[in-house]
Amino acid sequence: MRDDDTIDDQSAPSGMTGRSDDTPSSVQVGVLREPRSSRTRRGGLRNLLHRRPAGTRVAIATGVLCCLGAVAATGVAALPDERADDRSGTEAALAERGRQAASRGEVRTPAATVPDTPAATPSTATPTTVAPTPAATRTTRPRPKPKPRPTPKRIVPVAGLDRAQMDNAQKIVKAGRAMGVPRRALVIAVATAMQESNLYNYASGVLPESQNYPHQAIGWDHDSVGLFQQRPSSGWGEVGQLMDPAFATRAFLTALLEIPGWEDLPLTVAAQAVQISAYPDLYAQHEWRATEVVAAILV
């Protein structure tokens, strides 16, 4: 404010200026509607005060200051509420987003995929490295290969026998040795089979059942079967048993061992004592051949 303004204000009597001390409504409204920029308020207020008398300017300045203070107080008082409203609105929006995300997660997670025992995930479990077990140190050992069955030693036929006859003679000797009989009993058994069946395993035409078993010839002497032409009707055994060379040999030797002093008897007498043949003297002719065959097998 300039000095001349002060003097004019003090010397001018109230109501002598021809202007009303009251601020026109248009001026008040203009002052109250001025923008909040500090530069605009200061410029507008200074211009307004220069145009008015001193008393009027004081009143206007006082009123303006009061209005500005009320507006500022109102703005300051309202600011926390607005911020609170903004915060509450933001928190409500975030809460709503969280509920939506939770609902989406529940829908996308099927109940069937939840295992009874939760497995460790790669992010939480410490990976364990299992070294591969070498093939040589595994507990499962390969099964041993089955040993091949020993092939029976095939003796070269001797004494004019063919392959089938020699094989049957070998079966007789094998069964006798399993019983532990002496060599003399083996020779008597082979000589008897030479006379009875010519060392062929016979089936019987009278017993068709006998032909169901391995055989090399068919005879018609009653129900006699096998290497020793033993008769099932005489109690030597069942048909199937007598068609087995091993069983037939054991049956013959068992009967031979029951004859008292058989070791000292002539071959034909010992054989006849077991077989009860109609031609007892015919066994003796096979003794030398039987002896040669047994010797060849026992070598």
Side-chain angles (χ1 to χ4, degrees):
M1 181 181 294
R2 297 195 300 264
D3 294 337
D4 55 349
D5 294 336
T6 305
I7 296 172
D8 293 339
D9 294 338
Q10 294 176 359
S11 61
S14 175
M16 295 300 292
T17 59
R19 299 178 183 177
S20 175
D21 293 337
D22 296 332
T23 305
S25 61
S26 61
V27 175
Q28 293 176 4
V29 173
V31 172
L32 293 176
R33 292 182 179 179
E34 288 292 332
R36 292 185 181 183
S37 173
S38 60
R39 182 180 300 175
T40 305
R41 287 200 300 270
R42 288 196 298 271
L45 181 59
R46 186 180 296 115
N47 295 332
L48 181 62
L49 292 178
H50 282 303
R51 297 190 188 99
R52 303 295 178 182
T56 304
R57 288 197 296 267
V58 173
I60 292 173
T62 302
V64 170
L65 291 175
C66 291
C67 293
L68 292 176
V71 171
T74 303
V76 172
L79 182 59
D81 296 336
E82 294 175 358
R83 292 180 178 177
D85 293 338
D86 294 340
R87 286 198 302 270
S88 62
T90 303
E91 292 175 356
L94 292 176
E96 181 63 24
R97 290 182 181 178
R99 287 193 295 271
Q100 293 177 0
S103 63
R104 288 196 299 269
E106 292 175 356
V107 172
R108 292 179 181 179
T109 304
T113 59
V114 179
D116 295 337
T117 303
T121 58
S123 60
T124 59
T126 303
T128 56
T129 303
V130 179
T133 304
T137 59
R138 290 179 182 173
T139 56
T140 56
R141 298 179 180 178
R143 294 182 180 180
K145 294 182 179 180
K147 296 181 179 180
R149 295 182 179 180
T151 303
K153 182 181 178 181
R154 306 191 71 177
I155 309 300
V156 177
V158 295
L161 302 180
D162 60 20
R163 182 75 267 169
Q165 291 171 312
M166 194 67 185
D167 289 343
N168 288 331
Q170 191 173 355
K171 293 175 183 179
I172 293 172
V173 173
K174 181 180 179 180
R177 293 190 66 182
M179 294 177 64
V181 299
R183 177 178 293 205
R184 177 64 178 172
L186 298 178
V187 172
I188 295 173
V190 172
T192 302
M194 286 179 174
Q195 174 59 35
E196 295 290 348
S197 64
N198 199 18
L199 281 176
Y200 290 117
N201 195 24
Y202 268 79
S204 173
V206 179
L207 295 175
E209 177 188 354
S210 63
Q211 301 177 25
N212 297 330
Y213 301 95
H215 58 279
Q216 297 160 333
I218 297 177
W220 298 88
D221 183 10
H222 304 288
D223 58 347
S224 300
V225 296
L227 290 176
F228 295 90
Q229 288 293 284
Q230 296 156 328
R231 299 179 63 179
S233 60
S234 299
W236 285 98
E238 301 295 332
V239 176
Q241 294 174 329
L242 298 177
M243 291 296 297
D244 178 17
F247 180 90
T249 299
R250 288 192 297 270
F252 175 84
L253 292 176
T254 299
L256 176 65
L257 296 177
E258 291 176 357
I259 298 173
W262 66 269
E263 301 94 333
D264 300 328
L265 296 176
L267 186 145
T268 187
V269 175
Q272 176 62 15
V274 175
Q275 293 296 106
I276 314 299
S277 172
Y279 307 98
D281 298 332
L282 298 179
Y283 296 109
Q285 61 180 337
H286 305 289
E287 184 172 356
W288 70 270
R289 298 174 62 212
T291 302
E292 184 179 354
V293 169
V294 172
I297 295 171
L298 294 179
V299 171

